[in-house]
Amino acid sequence: MARHGLAPAQAIVTGFGLALLVGTTLLWLPISSTQRPATFVEALFTATSALCVTGLTVVDTAVFWTPFGKLVILLLIQVGGLGIMLFAALVGLVLARKLSVRARINTVVEAKAFGVPDVRRLARNIFLTSIAIEAVVAALLFVRFVSGYGYDAGKALWHGVFHSVSSFNNAGFALYTDNMMGFVADPWVSLPMCAAIILGGVGFPVLRELAREWRRPLHWSMNTRIVLPATIVLLVLGSLAITVIEWENPGTLGDKDPATRVLAGFYHAVQTRTAGFNSLDIGAMHDETWLIMDILMFIGGGPAGTAGGIKITTFAVLLFILWTELRGGTAVNIFGKRLSRSVHREAISVVLMALAAVMGATVAILTMTDLDLGRVLFEAVSAFATVGLSTGITATLPPAAQLILVALMFLGRIGPLTLGPALALRERRVAYELPKERPVIG
């Protein structure tokens, strides 16, 4: 019997596709740009980058887009950060006060909630959490812009709201030509943005559980007990690595005072969670720093949040699988619980598909340009992990290479395991199993 309607994975991909079409069309309009209409590739690239909360740009956001264009970008960031299905659920609740069963399932799948909870409560909690964090950070930035930089109230409010939304949703879009380089020594701007990035990056399930059980860590789920410590470890190691390697680099930290160097090192470690703001010239960093940032960006943040990458939980599962194999164990155990074998396959599939996408895109762009491997790989990882950090080559790439980055951003936001099933016409069920045999490994 034929199935009616789209499967959840197909609905998510279709929803993002339709939102991308609308965003591209709006940015393509003459009212969205200042001096000349945006080309189709410029509009598509910017809409994809905003909707997929990446932050890569092919034009100067500060001067190319009109207030209308910047508002479209801001709305795409907010919708992309919340998630298409969750946004649709919120609209449905507001307009119709009810949701179909399929809409409920789609929302739960995109939010990666376990079981089928009250979708009204789920959507409301995620929305209110997002708005509350964005409002607090916007207020802090507003005060700083007024008191420290002499902005008038209207400009300070707009800049505060825009950068707050862009931070919490890990988007990396800024209203300045040099991104956030003018605030490299200002902790009153840098730290609130870092806090928003970290909170958005750990994921809504972790935030929701911490709000309920923050005093009882033994009651935390496996997801929270993996994401929190791993986030702290990656931030500490990333901060140390970037700060130490770049300490004497005259193009980045070398001409800064020690306090600014430490602040900037931490700031850029946070950006790899995957926000994409920069207060230093990424293109002037050492190759070693790029490679470390590649690794951090590829890992990304927590699941069901605004961050990208393969996710901390996926990386942790692979580490536990490796540790079990090295010890000669038969089952992967994490925090006193046995890990389902289906999770093994999912983690391996995500990593292999991510590596294939990044490596394939890197090779393709290398054949189109004369750029070196370090810069192209950094750009490809940044696009797939929806980070938005760049060594400065994005705008100089040929249109075909920019379209490859568009595909990477879309794939990175939707997720390989969501996009794969969505492209399948139907599920194939096999009613038999073949005999087992082991090849030689290693």
Side-chain angles (χ1 to χ4, degrees):
M1 182 179 293
R3 294 184 301 174
H4 298 284
L6 298 174
Q10 293 172 320
I12 293 170
V13 174
T14 302
F16 265 90
L18 292 175
L20 179 59
L21 177 62
V22 172
T24 301
T25 302
L26 291 176
L27 291 178
W28 205 7
L29 297 174
I31 193 177
S32 295
S33 50
T34 53
Q35 299 177 349
R36 61 170 177 81
T39 65
F40 174 76
V41 173
E42 290 170 343
L44 174 64
F45 192 100
T46 304
T48 305
S49 185
L51 185 66
C52 297
V53 290
T54 305
L56 288 175
T57 58
V58 291
V59 294
D60 187 345
T61 304
V63 299
F64 185 84
W65 303 109
T66 63
F68 175 80
K70 293 171 184 174
L71 180 61
V72 171
I73 292 172
L74 183 65
L75 293 176
L76 287 172
I77 291 172
Q78 187 70 81
V79 171
L82 284 174
I84 296 298
M85 294 300 105
L86 178 62
F87 180 77
L90 288 169
V91 172
L93 290 174
V94 170
L95 297 180
R97 299 290 180 180
K98 61 181 180 179
L99 292 173
S100 66
V101 173
R102 183 168 294 278
R104 292 172 185 265
I105 294 174
N106 290 340
T107 303
V108 169
V109 169
E110 186 178 48
K112 290 181 171 62
F114 298 101
V116 185
D118 184 344
V119 175
R120 294 172 184 267
R121 185 180 299 112
L122 174 68
R124 182 175 65 250
N125 288 344
I126 292 177
F127 177 74
L128 292 179
T129 299
S130 302
I131 296 302
I133 295 173
E134 291 169 356
V136 171
V137 175
L140 293 174
L141 295 178
F142 170 82
V143 172
R144 183 56 179 166
F145 288 145
V146 170
S147 62
Y149 298 92
Y151 290 9
D152 61 66
K155 181 179 179 180
L157 179 62
W158 168 239
H159 280 239
V161 170
F162 188 97
H163 292 98
S164 173
V165 172
S166 187
S167 296
F168 179 73
N169 291 287
N170 282 219
F173 277 89
L175 296 177
Y176 306 98
T177 298
D178 60 356
N179 205 274
M180 304 303 291
M181 292 178 67
F183 305 96
V184 63
D186 191 343
W188 302 104
V189 172
S190 297
L191 294 182
M193 292 176 65
C194 286
I197 291 164
I198 294 170
L199 291 174
V202 298
F204 292 112
V206 174
L207 294 179
R208 189 166 62 248
E209 189 164 34
L210 289 178
R212 296 195 313 260
E213 303 284 353
W214 68 274
R215 289 184 175 180
R216 299 187 291 179
L218 294 179
H219 292 196
W220 292 352
S221 66
M222 182 186 295
N223 182 72
T224 299
R225 295 169 73 178
I226 290 175
V227 171
L228 278 186
T231 297
I232 294 172
V233 169
L234 291 174
L235 285 175
V236 171
L237 293 180
S239 300
L240 287 174
I242 294 171
T243 304
V244 170
I245 295 173
E246 297 295 324
W247 190 266
E248 299 293 340
N249 185 349
T252 54
L253 296 180
D255 61 345
K256 309 291 190 300
D257 62 84
T260 300
R261 296 182 193 187
V262 173
L263 175 64
F266 172 73
Y267 185 82
H268 285 82
V270 172
Q271 303 315 311
T272 62
R273 306 318 312 140
T274 56
F277 294 104
N278 66 282
S279 61
L280 299 173
D281 182 1
I282 303 296
M285 288 181 171
H286 293 306
D287 289 352
E288 304 94 306
T289 307
W290 288 348
L291 182 58
I292 289 171
M293 295 176 79
D294 285 341
I295 296 171
L296 294 173
M297 291 189 297
F298 190 77
I299 294 173
T306 58
I310 61 171
K311 301 300 189 293
I312 289 174
T313 45
T314 303
F315 181 71
V317 164
L318 292 181
L319 288 182
F320 280 109
I321 292 174
L322 175 61
W323 178 245
T324 301
E325 288 297 319
L326 292 177
R327 296 182 62 191
T330 57
V332 179
N333 300 316
I334 304 178
F335 303 127
K337 299 289 182 66
R338 183 172 58 85
L339 199 65
S340 170
R341 292 193 179 276
S342 64
V343 177
H344 303 193
R345 296 193 299 270
E346 290 175 10
I348 294 171
S349 298
V350 166
V351 173
L352 289 179
M353 292 180 71
L355 286 173
V358 170
M359 293 300 103
T362 300
V363 171
I365 295 175
L366 283 172
T367 62
M368 300 177 185
T369 66
D370 296 325
L371 297 168
D372 60 86
L373 174 61
R375 293 179 184 273
V376 174
L377 178 62
F378 190 96
E379 202 81 7
V381 173
S382 181
F384 175 81
T386 67
V387 180
L389 292 172
S390 174
T391 59
I393 66 173
T394 315
T396 65
L397 293 174
Q402 292 175 352
L403 290 177
I404 290 176
L405 295 182
V406 167
L408 275 180
M409 289 188 285
F410 191 84
L411 175 61
R413 182 60 180 135
I414 299 301
L417 284 185
T418 302
L419 187 58
L423 296 178
L425 295 178
R426 61 185 178 85
E427 294 181 359
R428 182 186 177 192
R429 299 184 180 276
V430 179
Y432 58 88
E433 290 186 358
L434 296 175
K436 293 181 179 180
E437 185 175 353
R438 286 178 59 101
V440 178
I441 302 297

